[in-house]
Amino acid sequence: MGNIQLKGIEKSFGTKKVLENINLDVKNGEMLALLGPSGCGKTTLLKVIAGLLKPDKGDIVFDCKSVVDIPTGAREVVMVFQDYVLFPHLNVAENIGFGLRMAGIPKKERSKKVSQLLELVQMKGFENRYPRQLSGGQKQRVAFARALAVEPKVLLLDEPFSNLDYRLREEMREFTCHLQRKMGVTTILVTHDREEAMMTADRIALMLDGQIKQCDTPVNLYFKPNSPEVASFFGEANYIQGRVIEGIFQCSLGRFQAPLGLEGKVSAMIRPEQIEISDNGEWPIKGRIIERRFAGEKRYYRVKVGDYILKVTSPSWKTLKHDSVGVVIDFNEISYFKDVKGGS
Ligand code: ATP
């Protein structure tokens, strides 16, 4: 089991409040990404979970048991830091077996486990090398193996890919996801990279200024954010102001079917790829392209529609010959915010 509940966690350094009323449930076996910009408090929260820092307020519950007063060593939690911190004077096998030796596991059993872990992280044949003789990716694999050796209930990864180059980062992301699913260990991955969070995690907790603003699946955070602040963290968005009356969204572009249960003054939030444009045929909303950019896999447009300038993206293989276009937006499928003023 490796169920984590954080209840009302608060932490300040001097007068600076770094964590504010953090409430979070992480399910057994889940991969949760803690995402947020630099300085928002991610590492501090990870340290609080690991027991390296004590919260000023709140409770941490592992599998129905409060661990807030239990020291790090007894929490069955392992934290892997950004810089891997392998012991330089120990070889790969000794690094991986370190925790087992500390726990008094006999040599024979230890060697068997180390050998299994070397295989798991695809590092067989490297057991006698020292950290200085390894690449960044290899060091990271050893750090994972060392962390997993003690069979933790919870694995905490602090920006584990940030020291790797682009290609290796992709490879290690995939490897980590695969390993995490195989081992089924509850994992919290700290990152400031939204794409990394979306591609690796089952759920993402978005943290801004010491608060968790929304915790949900990557798809929901992107398409169903609970505020414009969350929406803008995950990418570009268009906002159209209007009013829903008896299930119909009325705005300066026309009258459209709205989702059930919505009434009153709202802002419709539309991602650029949720807008379709075509210069071929009669579509109900008329627009004019005022800017085009080609970016390889996508084309970026700015389209003037009524009083709005909409950001639109389309697959790059689609070409538009004319600037006069028809526009389609499925107002039934997009998100709405109540009574807020959005961007352009
Ligand atoms: P990054 O992605 O840059 O590592 P982060 O989101 O992990 O950032 P934290 O390291 O948790 O952020 O830091 C949050 C805030 O708390 C920062 O303003 C930081 O300067 C401050 N801080 C962190 N540790 C301490 C400390 N021991 N004493 C005082 N202030 C601290």
Side-chain angles (χ1 to χ4, degrees):
M1 288 286 282
N3 203 288
I4 310 168
Q5 277 179 297
L6 304 179
K7 299 179 179 175
I9 299 288
E10 308 255 337
K11 178 79 191 166
S12 298
F13 291 116
T15 53
K16 187 176 163 50
K17 197 166 236 186
V18 176
L19 300 176
E20 214 178 319
N21 192 25
I22 302 283
N23 294 289
L24 189 65
D25 273 15
V26 190
K27 297 176 208 135
N28 182 35
E30 185 174 25
M31 169 78 118
L32 182 113
L34 188 56
L35 172 70
S38 182
C40 73
K42 306 179 297 292
T43 303
T44 304
L45 184 58
L46 223 52
K47 285 183 178 168
V48 163
I49 299 170
L52 300 170
L53 275 177
K54 202 169 162 50
D56 301 332
K57 250 172 112 178
D59 201 4
I60 306 161
V61 178
F62 285 1
D63 296 335
C64 307
K65 190 171 155 233
S66 173
V67 295
V68 80
D69 294 318
I70 293 181
T72 306
R75 282 196 193 185
E76 298 181 75
V77 170
V78 176
M79 187 156 165
V80 178
F81 293 92
Q82 204 174 86
D83 42 13
Y84 324 131
V85 281
L86 297 176
F87 300 115
H89 58 288
L90 299 183
N91 68 24
V92 166
E94 289 162 347
N95 259 291
I96 296 175
F98 182 81
L100 301 172
R101 205 177 75 192
M102 290 293 109
I105 309 288
K107 190 158 186 241
K108 203 166 157 209
E109 202 180 316
R110 217 161 66 212
S111 316
K112 193 170 156 214
K113 189 101 194 248
V114 168
S115 165
Q116 286 169 347
L117 284 159
L118 279 164
E119 197 153 323
L120 184 75
V121 299
Q122 296 158 17
M123 286 291 286
K124 266 234 138 43
F126 288 82
E127 37 277 76
N128 295 321
R129 292 232 200 148
Y130 285 85
R132 65 175 184 280
Q133 300 169 310
L134 302 175
S135 72
Q138 290 166 340
K139 274 189 219 165
Q140 194 178 44
R141 283 167 200 247
V142 176
F144 280 163
R146 192 178 62 180
L148 293 170
V150 293
E151 295 181 13
K153 279 185 179 171
V154 176
L155 187 61
L156 304 174
L157 306 174
D158 192 3
E159 301 263 10
F161 313 119
S162 61
N163 285 346
L164 306 175
D165 70 38
Y166 181 75
R167 197 187 46 78
L168 196 57
R169 196 150 65 213
E170 302 254 293
E171 197 183 302
M172 281 309 292
R173 260 185 215 158
E174 250 179 64
F175 174 80
T176 309
C177 284
H178 179 75
L179 194 66
Q180 193 272 340
R181 304 243 139 91
K182 194 164 163 182
M183 303 294 287
V185 56
T186 308
T187 303
I188 302 181
L189 169 95
V190 158
T191 178
H192 61 266
D193 181 333
R194 65 176 195 226
E195 199 175 292
E196 179 167 297
M198 289 200 272
M199 284 174 68
T200 50
D202 298 311
R203 284 189 311 149
I204 300 171
L206 175 65
M207 198 167 178
L208 300 171
D209 294 330
Q211 295 176 344
I212 291 183
K213 299 289 179 178
Q214 190 173 353
C215 181
D216 210 331
T217 61
V219 171
N220 281 350
L221 279 164
Y222 187 75
F223 286 117
K224 304 277 174 206
N226 63 12
S227 68
E229 194 183 21
V230 175
S232 74
F233 192 88
F234 281 89
E236 298 271 22
N238 298 287
Y239 293 91
I240 292 176
Q241 277 79 43
R243 193 176 280 280
V244 179
I245 301 168
E246 292 175 359
I248 303 293
F249 177 58
Q250 306 187 6
C251 62
S252 63
L253 307 186
R255 291 161 55 88
F256 308 93
Q257 185 72 45
L260 285 176
L262 202 64
E263 276 300 311
K265 209 173 156 200
V266 292
S267 275
M269 192 282 293
I270 314 155
R271 295 288 186 197
E273 65 279 15
Q274 290 178 301
I275 301 176
E276 250 187 283
I277 51 176
S278 168
D279 59 356
N280 172 22
E282 283 296 302
W283 286 8
I285 309 173
K286 306 281 179 234
R288 170 162 288 274
I289 296 173
I290 55 167
E291 195 184 316
R292 320 166 164 243
R293 275 180 292 143
F294 174 75
E297 86 266 23
K298 268 191 261 181
R299 285 176 196 269
Y300 291 85
Y301 297 98
R302 282 187 187 266
V303 182
K304 184 150 178 31
V305 182
D307 296 335
Y308 292 97
I309 292 174
L310 301 179
K311 295 166 219 155
V312 180
T313 56
S314 71
S316 58
W317 52 266
K318 276 194 182 176
T319 52
L320 295 169
K321 289 195 183 67
H322 311 292
D323 287 341
S324 261
V325 287
V327 178
V328 171
I329 301 167
D330 188 345
F331 282 91
N332 207 8
E333 282 299 318
I334 56 171
S335 274
Y336 291 82
F337 298 123
K338 280 238 151 217
D339 268 329
V340 286
K341 280 232 171 295
S344 59

